[in-house]
Amino acid sequence: MELFELNLRDAAEGVRTKKFSALELFDACFARAASCEPKLAALITPTEEEGRRGAEEIDARIARGEDVGPLGGVPVVLKDNLCTKGVRTTAASKILGDWRPPYDATVWSLLQGAGAVLLGKANMDEFAMGNTCGNSAFGPSKNPWDVTHVPGGSSGGSAAAVAAAYAPCALGSDTGGSIRQPASYCGVYGLKPTYGMVSRYGVISYGSSLDQVGPLARTVSDLQLAMAILVHYDPMDSSSVPGKSFDFTPHKMDLKGKRVALVKEFQAFTLEAPIADAMARVRRLLENAGAEILEVGLPTVARYAVSCYYALAMSEAHTNLERYDGIRYGYTVDDAVGSKEMFEAVRSAGFGSEVKSRIIAGTCLTEPTRCNEYYVAATKVRTLIAREFAKAFESADFILQPVTPLLAPKIGETDRDKMKGYESDLYTLPVNLAGLPGLSFFVEHAASGLPVGLQLIGARWSDPDLLNAGLTLEECLGSPSIARGGL
C-alpha cells in the first residue's frame, strides 16, 4: 500500500510509531496531488513549502520524544474559505486577490494543535455559492471518478481531494448541502455537524445562520477522529454553544430496535434509478438488522424549504458581502474617479455572476418595503420547519433520505437551468434551516462508475450517535475505494 492511500488513523499511527516519517508521508501525498491536479483542479493553492516545514517540525518533535498529537504529521486539505495565517485565502473569488489572512480559523488552529500539516487550500464555488464547484474564479474542479462530471459543491475540491487520496481528511463548509452533496458525488463520507457544535470563527461567511464547518474522509472512523478534535466551545464565535461535551469514540451501533424514518412527502418525488435502488438496498439492510422503518410527515419542509432557504441565504449573503469594497484588501482598481465609481468597478469585476445574482436578490429581499413580506416571513417558516423536524424526532431516531435526486451531472449540464439546480438541494438544505446534523454515506457505485451516496439525519446534538450508526452502515456496505480512473 502506498503512503498516500492510508486513512487518517493509520497515517497518524505510522508517523507516531516511526514506520515512516511525517516528511515521507507528506511528500507521498503531495506527489499524488501533483500528479492528479492537471486533471482534477481540486486545489487553488498547494502549500508544499508550508506543509514540508510542518512535517519536518513533527519529525523533530518525535525525535525529542514529544507528544505530537492525534494527527501528528498527517496532511489535510482545507476549503479555501477557511482563514490560514500567511497563506493565500481566496474563497475562490477574484475580489480577494492574493489576500493572506493575519489569523487562523479556529478549526485550523485545532487541527494544527493536534499535529496536522497543511497540504493545500481546496477549490470551491465562489463564496460557497453553488453546487457544482464550477462557480470558481480559478476554473471548475472535476469529479475524480469521471472528469467529465462535476464533483459537487460548494466543497467540491475538498471532496475530490479526499476521494483521489491527496489527503485522508479535508474540511469543508455546509450552508445548504455543501459537504454532503460533494461527498455523495465523489464517493466519500461527509458530516454536516449540528449548528453551534464547530466554530465558525475564521470562516469567510456566506449565510451566517446556516454555515457550518465539517470533515470529509474515506472512513466514518476518521470523521469521528476529526470531530473529537474540532468540537470545542469557542468564545470567538457567537454561535458556538458552551457547556456541552460529546464522546466521538467509535462504537458500532446495534440497529435492532432503532426507528429509521422515511419522509412521507418525499416518496412521490422522482429519483434517478441508481439512487432509488440504493434507497431500497439500505432499507432492506436496516430491516434485516432489526430496525423499524416508519414514515414521518414534513409537509412544510416539502412545500416551503427551498424558497425559505434561498430567501434567508441570499439576504445574509447580501449583508456579508457588503464588506468587499476594494479599499482595505483584495482586488482594486486605480482609475476610478470617486468612491462610488470605485465600488461599482471593484464589485462588478471582482464578483462572479452567481455571487452577483445572489447579492442582487438579497438586496431586493431585504429592501424596507419588501423585508416583512420575504425575509421576515422566511424566518417564521424556518421556525415551523425546525418544529416539524423536532416533532418527527419524537417518533424516529434517524431520517434516511437521498442527498440529491440525481448522480453527479456532467460539467455544464446544470448551468442551463439554474432553478433545477436550486431545487435539487431540497434533500439537504432543510437540515441547515433546522440546525441538524447530517451524514452523507457511501452506498455503492452505479453501472456508470459514479458513486451513489445517501444521507442519514439526526436530531440536534445527536452527532456521535449519527456517526456510530454510520459506522455500522459502513461495515455492512463496505468502505469507499480511492478514485483512480483516468488519474
Side-chain angles (χ1 to χ4, degrees):
M1 177 181 282
E2 301 283 353
L3 291 183
F4 65 78
E5 297 179 87
L6 293 171
N7 64 34
L8 192 63
R9 291 180 183 274
D10 291 343
E13 178 67 14
V15 172
R16 186 164 50 250
T17 58
K18 301 182 183 180
K19 290 181 180 177
F20 42 83
S21 69
L23 187 58
E24 288 173 326
L25 175 63
F26 180 85
D27 285 346
C29 290
F30 197 85
R32 170 65 174 175
S35 70
C36 297
E37 267 302 274
K39 291 184 177 180
L40 289 190
L43 301 179
I44 290 175
T45 304
T47 54
E48 182 176 17
E49 183 180 332
E50 293 85 355
R52 296 189 96 245
R53 187 165 58 244
E56 288 170 348
E57 182 180 337
I58 292 293
D59 286 333
R61 289 175 59 192
I62 289 175
R64 295 194 297 267
E66 297 177 9
D67 180 6
V68 294
L71 298 184
V74 181
V76 299
V77 169
L78 302 181
K79 188 175 181 178
D80 204 31
N81 62 347
L82 301 174
C83 289
T84 43
K85 184 177 180 179
V87 176
R88 183 173 72 152
T89 302
T90 70
S93 180
K94 182 179 177 182
I95 205 162
L96 274 167
D98 288 324
W99 181 58
R100 296 171 188 270
Y103 63 96
D104 286 321
T106 294
V107 289
W108 174 227
S109 295
L110 291 169
L111 290 180
Q112 279 186 297
V117 297
L118 183 62
L119 186 134
K121 304 297 290 294
N123 204 357
M124 55 182 284
D125 286 299
E126 184 182 6
F127 284 101
M129 298 182 193
N131 53 19
T132 64
C133 208
N135 300 325
S136 169
F138 300 88
S141 289
K142 316 289 175 46
N143 191 308
W145 293 98
D146 184 336
V147 295
T148 66
H149 290 251
V150 305
S154 62
S155 307
S158 295
V162 171
Y166 291 19
C169 181
L171 294 190
S173 66
D174 192 312
T175 306
S178 289
I179 289 172
R180 289 160 289 150
Q181 187 244 41
S184 176
Y185 281 178
C186 291
V188 298
Y189 297 101
L191 177 71
K192 182 266 170 195
T194 296
Y195 185 81
M197 181 175 275
V198 176
S199 173
R200 294 185 304 107
Y201 178 72
V203 179
I204 298 174
S205 297
Y206 162 22
S208 301
S209 74
L210 300 159
D211 299 337
Q212 186 64 87
V213 178
L216 301 100
R218 293 190 299 274
T219 72
V220 176
S221 175
D222 283 353
L223 293 184
Q224 291 169 308
L225 176 55
M227 286 296 288
I229 294 162
L230 295 172
V231 176
H232 282 272
Y233 168 64
D234 183 7
M236 299 296 289
D237 174 15
S238 61
S239 68
S240 183
V241 178
K244 290 186 175 293
S245 61
F246 302 92
D247 181 6
F248 285 99
T249 305
H251 297 292
K252 287 194 287 290
M253 178 180 286
D254 184 355
L255 296 174
K256 186 174 182 179
K258 294 296 180 183
R259 302 163 300 169
V260 180
L262 306 176
V263 179
K264 180 169 58 178
E265 289 77 12
F266 291 172
Q267 302 310 300
F269 297 164
T270 301
L271 301 174
E272 193 171 355
I275 297 172
D277 292 344
M279 284 288 290
R281 179 185 175 190
V282 172
R283 177 173 180 165
R284 288 193 302 271
L285 184 157
L286 291 168
E287 289 174 330
N288 291 338
E292 176 189 353
I293 305 298
L294 53 95
E295 281 192 346
V296 293
L298 297 176
T300 308
V301 170
R303 184 169 183 181
Y304 296 113
V306 173
S307 54
C308 172
Y309 170 85
Y310 280 104
L312 294 172
M314 291 180 180
S315 297
E316 292 183 11
H318 149 71
T319 301
N320 279 322
L321 272 62
E322 282 183 329
R323 70 195 70 177
Y324 300 103
D325 52 20
I327 295 176
R328 290 157 290 187
Y329 51 82
Y331 180 81
T332 192
V333 294
D334 298 321
D335 56 352
V337 296
S339 59
K340 181 176 182 294
E341 289 77 11
M342 187 189 72
F343 295 157
E344 289 177 350
V346 165
R347 291 168 71 82
S348 294
F351 288 132
S353 60
E354 182 65 27
V355 172
K356 284 188 278 194
S357 71
R358 297 194 190 199
I359 291 172
I360 291 168
T363 303
C364 294
L365 290 164
T366 55
E367 198 270 333
T369 60
R370 298 188 180 95
C371 189
N372 284 339
E373 184 179 358
Y374 295 107
Y375 178 74
V376 174
T379 63
K380 294 177 180 177
V381 172
R382 180 184 195 165
T383 300
L384 296 177
I385 287 172
R387 289 175 180 171
E388 207 165 73
F389 271 112
K391 184 172 178 57
F393 283 115
E394 290 176 4
S395 58
D397 296 302
F398 306 108
I399 295 174
L400 173 70
Q401 63 186 45
V403 177
T404 65
L406 304 170
L407 298 179
K410 284 187 174 292
I411 292 172
E413 200 171 281
T414 58
D415 294 342
R416 293 187 289 272
D417 188 347
K418 291 288 186 184
M419 283 307 300
K420 186 175 181 181
Y422 295 161
E423 289 166 357
S424 72
D425 296 336
L426 171 62
Y427 296 107
T428 54
L429 57 81
V431 172
N432 300 78
L433 289 169
L436 305 174
L439 172 67
S440 178
F441 63 93
F442 172 76
V443 178
E444 59 195 5
H445 286 274
S448 64
L450 292 172
V452 183
L454 297 178
Q455 180 179 197
L456 204 62
I457 301 166
R460 281 179 63 82
W461 312 116
S462 69
D463 306 51
D465 288 340
L466 187 66
L467 288 171
N468 283 331
L471 203 62
T472 303
L473 289 171
E474 179 184 4
E475 184 178 64
C476 297
L477 296 165
S479 302
S481 56
I482 292 169
R484 300 180 182 276
L487 298 181

